[in-house]
Amino acid sequence: MYKRLLVTVLVSVFFFSLWGKTETVCQSLEVEDSVPVFQKDTLPVKGSLDFLRIKRIGRYDRGIMNYRFIPKGKWISGFTMSYWDYNSADNKLLFAYFDNFDCDGRNLNFSVYGGYAVRDNMVLGLKFGYRNMRGALNNITLKIDDDVDFSLKDLKLEQNLYNVSFFHRSYVGLDAGKRFGLFNETALTFNFGKSKFDRGVDENLVNTQTDIFEVQLGINPGLAVFIMQNVSIECSLGIAGIRYRQEKQKNNLGETGKRMTGGSNFRVNPFNISLGLTICL
């Protein structure tokens, strides 16, 4: 009798334990069933991120995606500016071999532009700009030893250029909020203007006037950040370029001349850093 009672108790405990496990499994299934509901909630959000697939290179599609930063059909307009100033008094320690080194210079570059997004993250546009460069070498003396000693003084240069550019911009969105993006600008620029070079003073003054025409093809990558819904700030850097330059010169002594130069430049130019503000309409 006691054996039957013990067996009955053990069987009851066994079935109760199975019932508890079954309830636990059902609860876990309820938790797992909530996962698709969560995914369905996030699907509309994911669709609003505006992913863009980058075209494959070669035979393989690597599935590279980026975010839509500038939608198709948008107009953009804005301006960029760069400025640097130099004075030899701030860098005397860099010129150990120079005596009486006195020079200064500045460079101001300003431009306004407008463009239209012909495709998502692709803008074509036109830019107008002005550049002013001034420099003066008041005095410099190079003396290494008794046999190497020469000096220059009273040299001044001023250059004023106007330019027109046709540019193409490709953007890459970095985040789902469409706030941060990278861009690369390829621009074909036509520069024209005048420069004036003075050497000497008073009766020893030689003044040379130069007419300048220049064509440039440049690459300027940068970063854009939307600080408001339709307003972004930009920073770009010139790293490469090909140019052709033609100059015609005439001085106060009646002498004339001309020259043509060209070449390529593939390096980072720290004096070609521009800051800008863009409005997207």
Side-chain angles (χ1 to χ4, degrees):
M1 179 176 179
Y2 292 103
K3 291 183 179 180
R4 291 181 180 178
L5 181 60
L6 180 60
V7 171
T8 304
V9 172
L10 292 177
V11 171
S12 300
V13 171
F14 175 75
F15 279 106
F16 273 114
S17 63
L18 288 179
W19 181 78
K21 291 182 178 179
T22 305
E23 184 180 7
T24 304
V25 172
C26 292
Q27 291 176 356
S28 65
L29 288 176
E30 290 178 0
V31 175
E32 293 176 357
D33 289 343
S34 66
V35 174
V37 176
F38 176 76
Q39 291 178 350
K40 290 180 181 179
D41 290 340
T42 58
L43 283 178
V45 178
K46 185 176 181 180
S48 65
L49 299 182
D50 296 333
F51 285 106
L52 300 177
R53 181 178 292 275
I54 297 178
K55 291 184 178 181
R56 66 182 184 183
I57 301 176
R59 299 177 58 186
Y60 299 99
D61 184 0
R62 294 170 174 80
I64 301 176
M65 310 287 288
N66 69 347
Y67 297 100
R68 180 180 285 110
F69 193 73
I70 302 293
K72 179 182 177 180
K74 291 286 187 178
W75 289 89
I76 68 170
S77 62
F79 69 90
T80 61
M81 184 181 68
S82 64
Y83 176 81
W84 64 266
D85 183 83
Y86 174 80
N87 194 309
S88 59
D90 301 328
N91 299 277
K92 288 184 177 181
L93 295 178
L94 298 178
F95 307 100
Y97 290 103
F98 294 110
D99 294 331
N100 301 322
F101 183 52
D102 183 13
C103 75
D104 59 85
R106 73 174 188 183
N107 190 336
L108 173 64
N109 197 345
F110 181 84
S111 62
V112 295
Y113 60 88
Y116 178 75
V118 295
R119 293 177 54 186
D120 290 330
N121 290 355
M122 182 181 296
V123 176
L124 298 178
L126 191 63
K127 182 182 297 187
F128 300 93
Y130 168 74
R131 180 179 180 182
N132 175 264
M133 182 177 66
R134 293 182 181 181
L137 180 59
N138 301 315
N139 188 44
I140 181 174
T141 301
L142 174 62
K143 184 175 183 180
I144 300 178
D145 54 33
D146 295 336
D147 297 328
V148 180
D149 185 2
F150 70 91
S151 63
L152 294 172
K153 62 179 180 179
D154 299 325
L155 303 178
K156 295 180 181 180
L157 173 66
E158 181 175 1
Q159 179 176 279
N160 293 281
L161 292 179
Y162 300 89
N163 59 72
V164 179
S165 302
F166 301 93
F167 69 86
H168 168 273
R169 278 193 181 186
S170 296
Y171 287 89
V172 176
L174 299 181
D175 69 321
K178 304 177 184 179
R179 186 168 299 273
F180 297 93
L182 299 175
F183 68 87
N184 180 66
E185 180 180 289
T186 304
L188 178 63
T189 305
F190 299 89
N191 296 304
F192 53 93
K194 295 179 178 293
S195 69
K196 181 176 68 173
F197 178 73
D198 295 333
R199 184 181 63 201
V201 293
D202 300 332
E203 66 275 1
N204 296 322
L205 175 64
V206 177
N207 177 269
T208 303
Q209 304 283 341
T210 304
D211 295 324
I212 301 173
F213 174 76
E214 185 178 53
V215 181
Q216 289 182 326
L217 180 63
I219 299 176
N220 306 287
L223 171 67
V225 180
F226 273 95
I227 57 176
M228 298 176 62
Q229 184 176 2
N230 295 316
V231 180
S232 70
I233 57 175
E234 298 178 352
C235 180
S236 62
L237 173 66
I239 62 171
I242 301 174
R243 70 168 190 169
Y244 167 80
R245 185 181 180 103
Q246 179 178 329
E247 299 179 352
K248 296 182 178 180
Q249 299 175 332
K250 181 179 180 180
N251 61 21
N252 58 341
L253 302 179
E255 300 172 338
T256 60
K258 65 178 181 178
R259 67 173 182 173
M260 294 176 290
T261 59
S264 59
N265 182 14
F266 295 92
R267 64 180 181 181
V268 176
N269 184 0
F271 299 113
N272 194 14
I273 300 177
S274 298
L275 297 176
L277 180 70
T278 299
I279 300 175
C280 185
L281 304 175

